[in-house]
Amino acid sequence: MGRLVRMVLLVMGLWYAAGPAVAQSESVPSAQPRPSDAPGVPTPPGTDAPETPRSAGPAASSPRPQLGLEAITGALKEGRFQLQAEHLGVREGAAYAEGGVRAVSGNMTLTADGAVVEPDQVTVHLLGHVVIGSPQMQTTATSIEINIETNHWRSTEAHTEVKPGFFEGGVESPLFVRARTLEGTRGGELVEARGASGTTCDREQPHYDLRSSKITAIPGRKVIFRKPSLYVFGHRLVRFPFNLALSLESKQNKFIPEFGQSEVEGYFAKLAYLYVLNPENSGLLRLNVTQKRGTGLGFDHTLETTQQHGELAVLWEPKEGALSSRLDHRWQISQEMSSELTSNLQRNSGYYGETETLSNNWTLRRATTEANSQLGFQQSVSQSGSSTSRSFTSAFSHQQRQGANTDWSVRSNYRSSRYSSSQAADEELQSSFEYGHRARAYDWRVVADKRHDLDGSSYTGDSSYRYLNRLPQFTFNTDSTRMPNIKPLGRIGTQATVELGRYEQRPDNVTISRAALKLDLGGSERRITGSSRLRTAARYYQAFYDDGSAQYLLGATSQLRQELGNHWNLQTSLNYFRPNGFAPLQLDYWSRQEDMQFQAVRLSPNRSRIDMSGGYDFVGNQWRTLLGQFEYMTSRSSKLEMQTGYDLEAAMWRPLNARWTFVHPREMSLALGAQYQIEDSQLRQITMDLDWLVTPRTRLELQTTYSGYTHALDEMDVRVTRDLHCWIGSVAYSRLTGEFQVNLGLKAFPSEKTNFGSTRGARFESGAGASF
């Protein structure tokens, strides 16, 4: 509906945009009114009327001449618009233009049969088939009258067509508006249309139109229809007993009820009415009438200013004692400081039983070019029956930059949680400090963090919670590009890291000092032959502890890539990581890794792809699963994908996954998937996703899953959408939720589109590239 409102305003605004270009002229002569031989068309000039050139552009004008062309073209001198006509002249003190009158202002063009400036010097008439046109909009009217002193204007018998491309999106057909009269006040702050109707139906007798005796519009903000009536096939279907207010900015202009059926609500009808309190405050009043849960009352209120955006939604169902509410508020307090607040309260929603949940989250941020600070609080309460769980978290962080090479930060996080009334609360405080500096040859950083257990031994779960305190840790980093003298192996690049620190590991009660060195060597790729390339890298890690223990790690990787012909590519990788010694800190726990992996790929561009991979684990002395993937373009618009695997150790096939997709750019999108258990010779699952334009006006959407175990449909979502010329209707059914819904709307005023398909998580369906 907002689209219709926007279009009505455009009609009014365009009259105003074309009018002031003439209305602002200060050089209109004083003369007597000029009679007309035919309605809306100026009379031909007399023989005594001096004629002037046929077109006029920006020209100098003298102030208030008695007679002359300057009287009608004075506004042209500043280039506000251009005027052309077959005849321009004056008669008895009245200036006129006649025959092929054409005015251009910006990207708008106005044409008329004639134009007259009355002798009062303030009233201008455009007469006879007045047309305002642009690539996306065209308006016609019998006449338009403009007062150039007050900027008041009035037009008669206006008709406008606005094409879908004029809007930012959502409009699927042209809009048509007719009005007996249109009037605008000073500055265009208020526009009134009388005897007006609007529709998206281009037929002489439209399928529907919305009629109102008076429409009051504030351009760019809102439009109020005075007790409008909705007509269908020329017959009044309903008359609203109240004024219908529509926002030009909101996308929630809904005035046609939604009907349907679901397991929770039974049969239902949901109505919404948009209200606009002022330019900053608007919303929806909601009325839900349901079979099982009774009547629901609520509202969705929106606050929108240059500094704030807020949304408050409330729905109350008295019969069930149910309440659903949500608050979102964002506030740009100043250029540097902002705030975000979210709050949710759910009670007896019907989908989660007799439960009550409350959650609040508030964050305050301050951001400058040198620093970022954040303070946040989070609270949640959940109650079900006699069980209540609570949690509270507060967090503070500050990051500071001191010049281009130095930064520091501090963080603190407090958490308290209680999962039942019979259990002690778990309370913790985590704090940290970090300072770093980057020099030309190296950079260094110091980190100190510690966890404080505030509940003591009250919460028994702390004994299984593992954490590490750094008290503190110093880190130094450099590489061979910054220090060219540390290339131990000549041309091979090197990265070096040194760590010194003292640590506490809980709950192991380990307190220990540690020094560690890490060297990463190589990593670059070199071409061996014209068709083969080799990448190698190595790592050495050494750690010492003050209790006398030590550990070192040797690691190396290599990767050989070989091209065979124009289609095949082979890749072989070797990985070796072996720790030696003992590490008392979990920070230095390393696992042994010795394996080989290989991959063979055959690629035929835009036609097919074959991918086979496998490997051998030398630590576990076992083969890795052989994986095979296959893709084939069965046509320019369809593709077949298959994937399976074979476990060499267990001598067992993995499931075979297959998927066939077909896409027609305008008519159909179809995806068929299947999962087949080779070992059991059993079909596990079949899936289908279909989006089909059955006819130019009918669309079918289908998502379904067939289970080979139950031999039944586990999921099925289907929706049929029908283009009813200027209306659009849909019928939808979801097997998972048991919901059946009917929607009917006007094509020009779509609301937010509803989701289609299951919203409770993605279905399992592996495709090419997935692993087992």
Side-chain angles (χ1 to χ4, degrees):
M1 176 58 73
R3 312 305 185 194
L4 172 61
V5 173
R6 215 170 275 182
M7 187 275 304
V8 172
L9 280 181
L10 289 168
V11 177
M12 304 171 181
L14 288 172
W15 287 121
Y16 178 76
V22 175
Q24 293 169 5
S25 173
E26 295 290 341
S27 55
V28 179
S30 178
Q32 296 300 316
R34 182 167 174 265
S36 297
D37 294 335
V41 182
T43 58
T47 57
D48 59 339
E51 297 212 2
T52 60
R54 295 193 177 189
S55 76
S61 61
S62 59
R64 296 189 180 278
Q66 283 299 112
L67 297 174
L69 178 62
E70 292 83 356
I72 194 170
T73 62
L76 300 178
K77 69 176 182 178
E78 297 180 2
R80 289 191 292 270
F81 67 95
Q82 295 179 349
L83 178 67
Q84 294 178 338
E86 294 179 2
H87 302 284
L88 297 173
V90 293
R91 180 184 180 186
E92 299 177 357
Y96 69 89
E98 187 177 60
V101 175
R102 184 175 185 270
V104 179
S105 177
N107 65 342
M108 302 301 300
T109 301
L110 182 146
T111 62
D113 293 336
V116 175
V117 180
E118 292 191 357
D120 59 8
Q121 303 185 38
V122 297
T123 305
V124 178
H125 296 273
L126 297 176
L127 307 169
H129 194 62
V130 184
V131 178
I132 297 177
S134 74
Q136 302 297 343
M137 191 200 74
Q138 181 169 291
T139 300
T140 60
T142 303
S143 65
I144 179 171
E145 178 184 291
I146 305 166
N147 186 304
I148 62 178
E149 288 187 350
T150 64
N151 287 337
H152 181 277
W153 56 268
R154 185 175 187 271
S155 68
T156 58
E157 301 301 329
H159 174 263
T160 297
E161 176 182 351
V162 184
K163 298 180 181 179
F166 186 89
F167 300 96
E168 296 179 357
V171 175
E172 301 180 19
S173 62
L175 305 178
F176 305 95
V177 170
R178 292 178 173 86
R180 186 173 65 250
T181 61
L182 288 175
E183 284 189 79
T185 59
R186 176 184 295 273
E189 293 89 354
L190 187 68
V191 179
E192 289 185 352
R194 295 183 181 274
S197 68
T199 182
T200 56
C201 186
D202 57 0
R203 299 192 176 185
E204 185 66 24
Q205 178 63 50
H207 289 138
Y208 84 94
D209 58 341
L210 191 64
R211 304 179 190 177
S212 177
S213 61
K214 180 182 178 182
I215 301 175
T216 304
I218 300 178
R221 298 180 181 178
K222 64 179 179 179
V223 172
I224 301 175
F225 289 77
R226 178 178 175 83
K227 296 182 178 179
S229 297
L230 179 63
Y231 280 75
V232 177
F233 295 104
H235 301 282
R236 188 169 69 183
L237 183 64
V238 61
R239 182 182 182 186
F240 290 83
F242 44 75
N243 293 345
L244 182 63
L246 299 174
S247 170
L248 297 179
E249 301 173 340
S250 174
K251 295 181 180 180
Q252 302 186 80
N253 294 293
K254 300 176 66 175
F255 63 97
I256 298 179
E258 295 180 0
F259 302 93
Q261 185 268 341
S262 68
E263 293 181 355
V264 173
E265 298 172 313
Y267 293 99
F268 62 78
K270 299 180 179 181
L271 301 91
Y273 169 69
L274 176 73
Y275 62 87
V276 182
L277 302 180
N278 53 47
E280 291 80 25
N281 292 272
S282 62
L284 289 173
L285 296 177
R286 296 190 179 276
L287 173 63
N288 294 354
V289 181
T290 66
Q291 177 188 15
K292 295 182 179 180
R293 299 182 64 82
T295 302
L297 304 172
F299 64 88
D300 296 355
H301 186 84
T302 300
L303 167 69
E304 190 74 58
T305 69
T306 56
Q307 291 183 295
Q308 298 184 69
H309 174 81
E311 296 180 4
L312 175 62
V314 177
L315 180 65
W316 177 47
E317 296 174 304
K319 177 183 175 181
E320 299 294 327
L323 178 66
S324 298
S325 61
R326 183 189 73 257
L327 170 66
D328 294 304
H329 183 257
R330 297 192 299 272
W331 182 17
Q332 191 68 38
I333 304 172
S334 65
Q335 185 176 0
E336 298 178 348
M337 188 169 293
S338 62
S339 168
E340 290 187 17
L341 172 65
T342 61
S343 181
N344 288 273
L345 173 62
Q346 301 288 330
R347 179 187 301 156
N348 301 338
S349 66
Y351 291 91
Y352 303 101
E354 296 182 359
T355 61
E356 179 176 331
T357 59
L358 171 66
S359 63
N360 299 291
N361 193 344
W362 178 69
T363 303
L364 181 66
R365 295 184 177 91
R366 183 178 183 271
T368 67
T369 56
E370 299 295 331
N372 289 289
S373 301
Q374 180 172 305
L375 175 65
F377 299 94
Q378 190 175 53
Q379 177 207 24
S380 66
V381 180
S382 179
Q383 182 174 355
S384 178
S386 59
S387 176
T388 302
S389 62
R390 304 174 183 271
S391 68
F392 175 79
T393 300
S394 65
F396 171 77
S397 66
H398 178 78
Q399 296 173 296
Q400 183 75 43
R401 291 174 292 277
Q402 294 181 330
N405 300 318
T406 303
D407 66 272
W408 61 272
S409 65
V410 60
R411 292 178 174 84
S412 180
N413 185 21
Y414 169 78
R415 182 174 66 87
S416 175
S417 58
R418 184 193 297 268
Y419 300 103
S420 67
S421 57
S422 60
Q423 188 180 42
D426 180 18
E427 296 183 81
E428 302 171 2
L429 176 64
Q430 182 82 31
S431 56
S432 66
F433 173 79
E434 187 170 346
Y435 187 94
H437 178 77
R438 180 179 177 85
R440 182 188 63 83
Y442 62 90
D443 58 75
W444 62 271
R445 188 165 295 274
V446 57
V447 179
D449 53 26
K450 186 174 178 62
R451 176 182 178 272
H452 302 271
D453 187 7
L454 302 182
D455 60 81
S457 58
S458 300
Y459 181 70
T460 57
D462 289 335
S463 59
S464 59
Y465 183 79
R466 185 176 295 275
Y467 60 93
L468 182 72
N469 294 328
R470 293 175 286 186
L471 305 172
Q473 173 184 289
F474 294 89
T475 304
F476 301 86
N477 290 289
T478 189
D479 56 63
S480 55
T481 61
R482 301 165 70 181
M483 297 183 68
N485 296 327
I486 63 168
K487 284 190 175 182
L489 300 177
R491 299 175 58 186
I492 299 178
T494 304
Q495 293 181 331
T497 301
V498 176
E499 294 178 348
L500 302 172
R502 186 163 181 82
Y503 307 87
E504 290 181 350
Q505 182 169 287
R506 300 289 184 264
D508 303 325
N509 294 323
V510 174
T511 301
I512 201 167
S513 298
R514 163 183 172 271
L517 169 67
K518 182 172 68 174
L519 295 176
D520 289 314
L521 309 174
S524 60
E525 187 175 274
R526 298 182 183 276
R527 184 174 294 276
I528 300 176
T529 67
S531 60
S532 61
R533 290 169 294 174
L534 179 65
R535 176 186 291 270
T536 58
R539 169 175 292 185
Y540 173 75
Y541 179 83
Q542 177 72 68
F544 299 95
Y545 309 91
D546 64 357
D547 65 351
S549 58
Q551 178 182 249
Y552 72 91
L553 170 73
L554 290 176
T557 63
S558 65
Q559 186 181 85
L560 177 64
R561 297 183 179 181
Q562 178 74 38
E563 297 178 3
L564 299 179
N566 297 326
H567 300 289
W568 282 98
N569 287 275
L570 305 180
Q571 179 176 298
T572 304
S573 301
L574 292 174
N575 299 290
Y576 176 89
F577 290 94
R578 175 170 289 188
N580 294 274
F582 174 74
L585 293 179
Q586 189 178 14
L587 178 67
D588 296 326
Y589 290 174
W590 299 88
S591 61
R592 181 184 171 190
Q593 181 181 355
E594 298 176 29
D595 61 57
M596 177 190 68
Q597 300 180 38
F598 62 85
Q599 183 180 28
V601 178
R602 187 187 189 280
L603 178 62
S604 179
N606 300 320
R607 188 60 177 174
S608 64
R609 175 187 173 94
I610 300 175
D611 191 330
M612 296 178 292
S613 62
Y616 186 79
D617 183 358
F618 295 99
V619 177
N621 294 321
Q622 61 180 5
W623 289 95
R624 293 185 173 175
T625 300
L626 292 175
L627 297 178
Q629 300 172 2
F630 173 71
E631 299 179 27
Y632 180 70
M633 296 293 298
T634 54
S635 70
R636 297 184 61 182
S637 56
S638 62
K639 181 173 69 172
L640 174 65
E641 302 171 81
M642 301 180 69
Q643 176 182 324
T644 188
Y646 184 76
D647 189 336
L648 293 170
E649 296 293 331
M652 182 178 67
W653 284 96
R654 299 297 187 183
L656 172 65
N657 292 284
R659 182 178 177 86
W660 180 74
T661 56
F662 172 81
V663 177
H664 188 284
R666 295 177 298 274
E667 296 182 1
M668 178 184 290
S669 173
L670 172 64
L672 295 174
Q675 187 179 92
Y676 183 77
Q677 179 57 264
I678 300 177
E679 291 292 324
D680 300 335
S681 300
Q682 182 180 15
L683 183 64
R684 286 186 174 183
Q685 188 183 76
I686 298 177
T687 62
M688 181 172 68
D689 292 349
L690 174 65
D691 187 347
W692 180 20
L693 191 63
V694 184
T695 71
R697 299 173 60 184
T698 305
R699 178 178 296 276
L700 170 64
E701 297 169 274
L702 176 66
Q703 291 184 359
T704 183
T705 301
Y706 172 82
S707 173
Y709 296 106
T710 61
H711 301 288
L713 293 177
D714 284 348
E715 296 181 28
M716 186 178 70
D717 295 278
V718 59
R719 178 168 64 188
V720 178
T721 304
R722 175 70 175 177
D723 183 342
L724 304 172
H725 188 239
C726 48
W727 295 76
I728 189 165
S730 67
V731 179
Y733 171 75
S734 174
R735 180 184 176 90
L736 186 65
T737 61
E739 182 171 344
F740 177 80
Q741 189 169 4
V742 178
N743 284 303
L744 183 64
L746 303 179
K747 291 173 64 176
F749 324 124
S751 58
E752 297 288 354
K753 292 186 177 181
T754 58
N755 293 327
F756 174 70
S758 173
T759 58
R760 299 189 179 184
R763 298 175 300 176
F764 170 77
E765 184 175 342
S766 61
S771 60
F772 293 91

